[in-house]
């Protein structure tokens, strides 16, 4: 039961809910596949000092795994929090402010984490 305008634009009731649903499932699958190697790396880091941690994270395969996990988890976090805000915040101005804050927070977490991994992996 869609309106004629929605049929012409090929939009559902929420306009982009299916896209977010599949993106969130994709990031969940990516994190599921990456969690075992990430846990192994974290356990290896728990038994080493700072120099050992820098050497472990300096390995290219480990840095790539960590970067992929960071990207997938922050993207998943962004989508999940945006859905919660859109569902439960009823004031349009507050909803917009919360979505913008969520986007900036997720980008800040991702960029700072990526910077840390790249700095450790480059040996600088």
């Amino acid at each position: 039961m869609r309106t004629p305008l929605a049929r012409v634009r090929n939009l559902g009731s929420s306009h982009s809910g299916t896209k977010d649903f599949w993106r969130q499932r994709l990031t969940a699958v990516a994190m599921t596949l990456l969690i075992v190697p990430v846990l192994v790396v974290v356990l290896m880091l728990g038994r080493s000092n700072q120099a050992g941690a820098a050497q472990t994270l300096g390995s290219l395969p480990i840095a790539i795994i960590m970067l992929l996990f960071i990207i997938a988890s922050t993207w998943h976090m962004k989508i999940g929090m945006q859905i919660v805000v859109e569902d439960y915040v009823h004031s349009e101005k507050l909803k917009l402010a919360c979505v913008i804050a969520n986007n900036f927070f997720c980008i800040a977490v991702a960029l700072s984490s990526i910077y840390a991994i790249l700095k450790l992996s480059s040996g600088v």
Side-chain angles (χ1 to χ4, degrees):
M1 295 183 50
R2 297 190 316 188
T3 65
L5 181 61
R7 252 180 271 149
V8 169
R9 291 184 179 168
N10 198 23
L11 298 174
S13 61
S14 65
H15 307 292
S16 66
T18 306
K19 209 181 322 180
D20 286 340
F21 174 84
W22 284 112
R23 285 180 182 164
Q24 192 167 30
R25 294 320 177 264
L26 177 71
T27 57
V29 168
M31 288 189 312
T32 302
L33 295 174
L34 291 169
I35 192 67
V36 172
V38 168
L39 285 176
V40 169
V41 170
V42 169
L43 290 174
M44 286 171 40
L45 294 176
R47 293 179 294 190
S48 63
N49 57 10
Q50 184 177 2
Q55 183 180 9
T56 301
L57 291 173
S59 169
L60 184 62
I62 291 177
I64 290 172
I65 289 170
M66 297 299 284
L67 287 173
L68 289 173
F69 186 76
I70 289 167
I71 291 168
S73 60
T74 54
W75 194 9
H76 188 81
M77 175 177 62
K78 178 209 166 289
I79 295 168
M81 283 307 301
Q82 183 171 339
I83 290 170
V84 169
V85 167
E86 289 172 351
D87 287 346
Y88 295 108
V89 177
H90 300 294
S91 169
E92 289 301 319
K93 289 180 182 179
L94 183 59
K95 186 185 298 188
L96 179 64
C98 288
V99 168
I100 290 171
N102 178 48
N103 289 341
F104 279 121
F105 177 75
C106 292
I107 289 169
V109 168
L111 288 178
S112 61
S113 300
I114 290 169
Y115 173 75
I117 295 295
L118 289 177
K119 186 168 181 179
L120 281 171
S121 67
S122 68
V124 176

